[in-house]
Amino acid sequence: MRYPKIPLPLPASGFVLSQHMNDSDPLLAIGRFDVALYQDALCGEWQLPLPLRIQSAVKKRRAEYLASRMLTREVFTRLGQPDFILSNAADRSPLWPAGVQASLSHSTGIVVLAATKQPLCIGVDVEQQMSATTAEETTEMLMGSAERSCLQRLPLDFPLAATLLFSLKESVYKALWPQLYQPMDFHHAELVDVDLAAQRATLRLTHRFNDVFNKGTELSAEFHLQDREVITLLAHEIKKPA
């Protein structure tokens, strides 16, 4: 994965600490922010008002919302749509403009956005490393025995490896949801290969969703591991049924 290094403008306030993107396709952009410096007044100053359902949320959620919309606006300005403000559908999935496929994720102090104009389904996810206890408690829900063996062969602590798998499967779900609108179980996709040096992974669907996303369909993903933080990005060609 090409980690974003091209700087994007920063609004005055100190709340948004950094914003960068890369020049790949799909592009990847990352914004970092300080929840402690969030103020509701910034939403008005930046003309990014909070929806009613967010206004009553905790400060952390309001901060994530504003940081994600600021990053989205900067990225879409570079995609030729400077007036775009991201909103959500009834199922809370993002409503992207026609002709653009994108995905958004956020975690503690970070928001990540992937976007393309290519006919690709896109899923991006960012996670903080889970604890050893959580890794063990979620093993049965998250992975099969072959996947666990695959992770244990990696030169990574098991909690970090489990977080990588969780994030990869979240990216699969985010990429496929706009194509299928069908619920997915963690076991509906299985990890079959991880290349740490190339920062790439391959997953395979174990469930038939439709003629395009059938059992056995392989999906390629990229990832970045840094300071117990995991970012994954999956892009897959959108094919029409035969």
Side-chain angles (χ1 to χ4, degrees):
M1 174 184 290
R2 293 182 59 187
Y3 195 81
K5 294 183 179 180
I6 302 171
L8 296 171
L10 295 179
S13 79
F15 165 60
V16 177
L17 303 174
S18 65
Q19 294 187 133
H20 293 82
M21 63 177 284
N22 61 23
D23 58 359
S24 61
D25 191 2
L27 69 80
L28 181 68
I30 294 179
R32 296 187 182 275
F33 58 95
D34 186 344
V35 175
L37 297 180
Y38 169 83
Q39 301 176 46
D40 286 337
L42 294 174
C43 302
E45 291 177 20
W46 298 350
Q47 298 183 329
L48 293 168
L50 296 175
L52 287 175
R53 64 180 178 83
I54 302 295
Q55 290 176 17
S56 59
V58 298
K59 183 177 181 179
K60 176 179 179 292
R61 179 70 188 94
R62 301 198 307 275
E64 290 170 346
Y65 183 93
L66 181 59
S68 66
R69 269 55 186 178
M70 173 55 70
L71 181 65
T72 298
R73 186 162 68 185
E74 289 296 338
V75 168
F76 274 76
T77 294
R78 281 148 187 78
L79 291 175
Q81 302 191 49
D83 298 324
F84 175 68
I85 297 179
L86 178 62
S87 59
N88 295 83
D91 62 4
R92 297 196 178 182
S93 60
L95 289 172
W96 305 108
V100 177
Q101 286 64 240
S103 181
L104 182 70
S105 181
H106 50 72
S107 184
T108 305
I110 182 173
V111 56
V112 180
L113 170 68
T116 184
K117 291 184 177 181
Q118 295 187 68
L120 302 171
C121 52
I122 297 289
V124 73
D125 186 68
V126 58
E127 302 288 341
Q128 307 300 320
Q129 179 180 315
M130 63 180 70
S131 67
T133 299
T134 300
E136 289 299 333
E137 289 177 347
T138 58
T139 294
E140 185 175 342
M141 174 191 71
L142 179 61
M143 68 189 77
S145 58
E147 290 175 298
R148 177 160 187 149
S149 296
C150 177
L151 295 181
Q152 290 175 328
R153 290 194 294 270
L154 297 175
L156 300 174
D157 292 339
F158 185 70
L160 181 57
T163 306
L164 172 59
L165 179 62
F166 177 84
S167 185
L168 286 167
K169 293 192 176 186
E170 283 289 299
S171 286
V172 170
Y173 174 79
K174 291 180 178 182
L176 268 58
W177 174 258
Q179 310 303 317
L180 303 171
Y181 295 102
Q182 295 183 42
M184 284 189 69
D185 183 274
F186 282 118
H187 293 283
H188 285 164
E190 62 179 359
L191 182 68
V192 295
D193 184 62
V194 178
D195 186 332
L196 284 180
Q199 300 182 99
R200 299 196 67 86
T202 303
L203 298 101
R204 181 186 299 127
L205 296 183
T206 63
H207 176 80
R208 184 186 186 282
F209 291 98
N210 60 21
D211 290 341
V212 175
F213 294 100
N214 208 338
K215 182 177 180 179
T217 300
E218 291 197 347
L219 306 167
S220 296
E222 304 172 78
F223 60 85
H224 180 78
L225 308 177
Q226 181 178 328
D227 299 329
R228 299 185 178 183
E229 186 177 81
V230 178
I231 299 172
T232 57
L233 169 62
L234 186 141
H236 187 77
E237 183 181 0
I238 299 174
K239 298 180 180 179
K240 296 182 179 180

